[in-house]
């Protein structure tokens, strides 16, 4: 059996009931086959792959909190510190009822390669809880965040592990988490990113993941001789990534005609109204059923259906495994040119293979959504020098990073004779730097 197959088998048997983690490991290791086979003997002796697929450390803890009626609830908190070969652990916190150890491990594993691709000195980690923020009051959110940080603060720090937001964690939650960290540790340091501008946050961090996705998409299309301006796009989701991806797509001359939440989706043939979306989601924290009140010519549909619309470019920006084989078939039969992932692993393995086989340009999340964490690293730099840069400066650096990632993944794919396979390109380019750093640091 090949080394890769042995390691995949071991991951599956040692980590039962973690299908998303298996999926992420399989996707990465399968696509690294040419690199690993070239060095199989050395890597096997060094147990390099075993070290790559096992987190350096993982924490699981109880999070008790009191709701507005005086009822006590207990959630489970997680932080997985996956790999620190190239810098302090870095990665978001996700608050969603679907969170379990397998989800956090898949996200942490992806984060290692994504962070490497940014070219910045950040290792990979991820955390979160099965707490459901939907429908909770501000006080309940604060109570949860304070309890969560009371435990988490033991494991993190500006030079060790720097969490940020993810699904369910935005500016409000980061504020409560930062306040509690400072209170317990007595340290005013850049221990979290995605902070508010009045207490050490970076301009353009809020927009960064969505903007970065579009910078990469535009560049990748350009490499393939296609212009983004004038193209029709579908976006799924309606959170931070979806909102700013839509805004940047419009600024670049494309038109986004869809968005979605967990109950349904919107089709607005005139183009999604970003101001309306922001008000519904960021101010009112309401559902997308409200969108029709702002745009009477739009359609609202229950359930899923974003990928049924005929578009040139599809941008999945909601969550993992939201674009299935059937959706991929529909996109291909509608003549879709490119799928670029704003979320983490939104496309299933079968759907990805189908898209690639049918010559759809496919950019994996670890490259396409790296703009968020890259800008978090820029926030860390600003915190370290106790200065803050202008919006234009941060945005220009973000753009440069995304353009560099695009060319690096393209070049890595070409180097291994798989031109146009950006999944391979991203995994190879991300892996090479991590492996180099791990080899240099000995058996740790
Ligand atoms: N949660 C984001 C991601 O998946 C951002 C992480 C960060 O800024 O540390 O990359």
């Amino acid at each position: 059996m090949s080394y890769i197959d042995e390691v995949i088998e071991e991951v599956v048997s040692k980590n039962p009931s973690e299908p998303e983690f298996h999926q992420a490991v399989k996707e990465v290791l399968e696509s690294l086959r040419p690199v690993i086979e070239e060095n199989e003997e050395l890597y096997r002796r060094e147990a390099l792959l075993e070290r790559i697929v096992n987190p350096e450390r993982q924490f699981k803890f109880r999070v008790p909190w009191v709701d507005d009626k005086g009822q006590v609830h207990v959630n489970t908190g997680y932080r997985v510190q996956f790999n620190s070969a190239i810098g302090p652990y870095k990665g978001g916190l996700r608050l969603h009822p679907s969170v379990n150890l397998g989800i956090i491990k898949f996200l942490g594993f992806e984060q290692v390669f994504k962070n490497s691709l940014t070219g910045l000195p950040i290792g990979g980690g991820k955390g979160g809880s099965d707490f459901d923020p939907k429908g909770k009051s501000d006080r309940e959110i604060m109570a949860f965040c304070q309890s969560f940080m009371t435990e988490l603060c033991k494991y993190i720090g500006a030079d060790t592990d720097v969490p940020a937001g993810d699904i369910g964690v935005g500016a409000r939650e980061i504020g409560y988490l930062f306040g509690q960290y400072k209170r317990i540790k007595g340290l005013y340091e850049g221990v979290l990113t995605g902070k508010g501008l009045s207490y050490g946050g970076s301009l353009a961090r809020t927009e960064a993941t969505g903007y970065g996705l579009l910078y990469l998409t535009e560049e990748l299309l350009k490499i393939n001789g296609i212009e983004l301006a004038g193209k029709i796009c579908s976006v799924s989701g309606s959170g931070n990534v979806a909102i700013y991806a839509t805004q940047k797509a419009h600024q670049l001359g494309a038109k986004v005609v869809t968005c979605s939440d967990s109950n349904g989706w919107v089709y607005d043939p005139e183009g999604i109204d970003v101001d309306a979306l922001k008000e519904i989601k960021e101010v009112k924290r309401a559902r997308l059923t409200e969108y029709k009140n702002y745009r009477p010519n739009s359609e609202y549909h229950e359930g899923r259906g974003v990928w049924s619309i005929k578009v040139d470019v599809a941008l999945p920006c909601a969550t993992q495994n939201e674009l299935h084989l059937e959706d991929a078939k529909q996109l291909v039969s509608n003549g879709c040119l490119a799928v670029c992932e704003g979320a983490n692993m939104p496309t299933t393995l079968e759907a990805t293979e189908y898209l690639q086989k049918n010559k759809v340009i496919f950019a994996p999340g670890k490259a396409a959504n790296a703009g968020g964490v890259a800008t978090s690293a820029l926030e860390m730099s600003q915190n370290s020098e106790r200065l803050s840069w202008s919006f234009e400066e941060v945005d220009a650096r973000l753009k440069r990073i995304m353009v560099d990632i695009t060319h690096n993944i393209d070049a890595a794919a070409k180097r291994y004779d798989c031109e146009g396979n950006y999944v391979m390109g991203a995994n190879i380019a991300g892996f090479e730097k991590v492996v180099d750093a791990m080899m240099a640091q000995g058996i740790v």
Side-chain angles (χ1 to χ4, degrees), residues 90-92 111 114 126 164-166 193 205 344 372-373 376:
K90 182 83 199 84
Q111 199 83 43
K114 180 195 314 199
K126 202 85 187 190
D166 196 81
T193 59
R205 174 62 189 90
N344 290 313
V373 74
S376 277

Side-chain angles (χ1 to χ4, degrees), residues 132-381:
D132 186 0
K134 214 185 287 168
K136 303 288 189 296
S137 69
D138 282 353
R139 197 211 59 81
E140 288 172 328
I141 298 283
M142 181 170 73
F144 173 83
C145 288
Q146 290 182 339
S147 179
F148 183 80
M149 183 52 88
T150 301
E151 183 63 25
L152 185 71
C153 74
K154 298 169 188 167
Y155 319 118
I156 62 175
D159 291 314
T160 51
D161 183 357
V162 183
D166 196 81
I167 292 172
V169 177
R172 173 180 59 172
E173 292 75 18
I174 293 291
Y176 294 145
L177 291 164
F178 184 77
Q180 184 73 350
Y181 179 85
K182 181 166 62 75
R183 187 176 189 197
I184 297 176
K185 304 280 277 200
L187 282 174
Y188 204 109
E189 60 170 9
V191 66
L192 292 159
T193 59
K195 299 186 291 299
L197 296 177
S198 56
Y199 62 96
S202 172
L203 285 159
R205 174 62 189 90
T206 311
E207 295 84 352
T209 315
Y211 278 22
L213 171 65
L214 268 295
Y215 293 145
L216 176 135
T217 302
E218 188 182 42
E219 192 68 16
L220 200 56
L221 291 179
K222 206 196 281 173
I223 288 177
N224 285 278
I226 303 166
E227 209 188 329
L228 175 66
K231 297 291 181 289
I232 307 293
C233 309
S234 48
V235 164
S236 61
S238 49
N240 177 264
V241 183
I243 290 173
Y244 293 98
T246 304
Q247 186 174 74
K248 184 51 76 179
H250 290 173
Q251 286 172 8
L252 297 175
K255 183 162 79 172
V256 174
V257 294
T258 63
C259 59
S260 65
D261 63 18
S262 53
N263 297 354
W265 58 287
V266 166
Y267 174 51
D268 187 344
E270 290 159 17
I272 293 290
D273 180 340
V274 176
D275 291 335
L277 194 57
K278 274 191 184 174
E279 190 167 307
I280 296 165
K281 287 288 155 182
E282 291 178 351
V283 183
K284 296 186 176 168
R285 299 186 190 275
R287 310 301 297 167
L288 280 181
T289 38
E290 295 239 342
Y291 186 83
K292 231 179 149 25
N293 302 334
Y294 295 81
R295 305 275 282 187
N297 292 337
S298 68
E299 298 169 13
Y300 176 82
H301 301 272
E302 294 283 333
R304 42 195 309 284
V306 162
W307 314 123
S308 65
I309 299 294
K310 180 175 164 48
V311 291
D312 304 304
V313 178
L315 304 169
C317 296
T319 192
Q320 69 270 1
N321 292 331
E322 52 155 315
L323 199 161
H324 309 154
L325 180 59
E326 290 315 305
D327 305 317
K329 288 184 177 166
Q330 182 113 48
L331 287 169
V332 168
S333 73
N334 284 341
C336 178
L337 302 169
V339 174
C340 301
E341 297 186 321
N344 290 313
M345 207 172 74
T347 314
T348 65
L349 280 176
E350 305 79 61
T352 304
E353 276 161 21
Y354 186 85
L355 293 168
Q356 289 178 317
K357 239 180 252 153
N358 286 279
K359 303 280 172 255
V360 175
I361 299 165
F362 181 83
K366 66 171 73 67
N369 73 36
V373 74
T375 307
S376 277
L378 301 179
E379 183 173 330
M380 290 166 70
S381 301

Side-chain angles (χ1 to χ4, degrees), residues 1 3-16 21-22 25 47 49-51 53-54:
M1 201 192 278
Y3 182 35
I4 293 180
D5 295 325
E6 269 172 40
V7 174
I8 290 177
E9 209 177 271
E10 192 177 295
V11 165
V12 173
S13 70
K14 269 191 164 178
N15 305 274
F21 181 50
H22 305 166
V25 169
L49 294 185
E50 288 86 340
R51 286 192 281 146
V53 298
N54 277 291

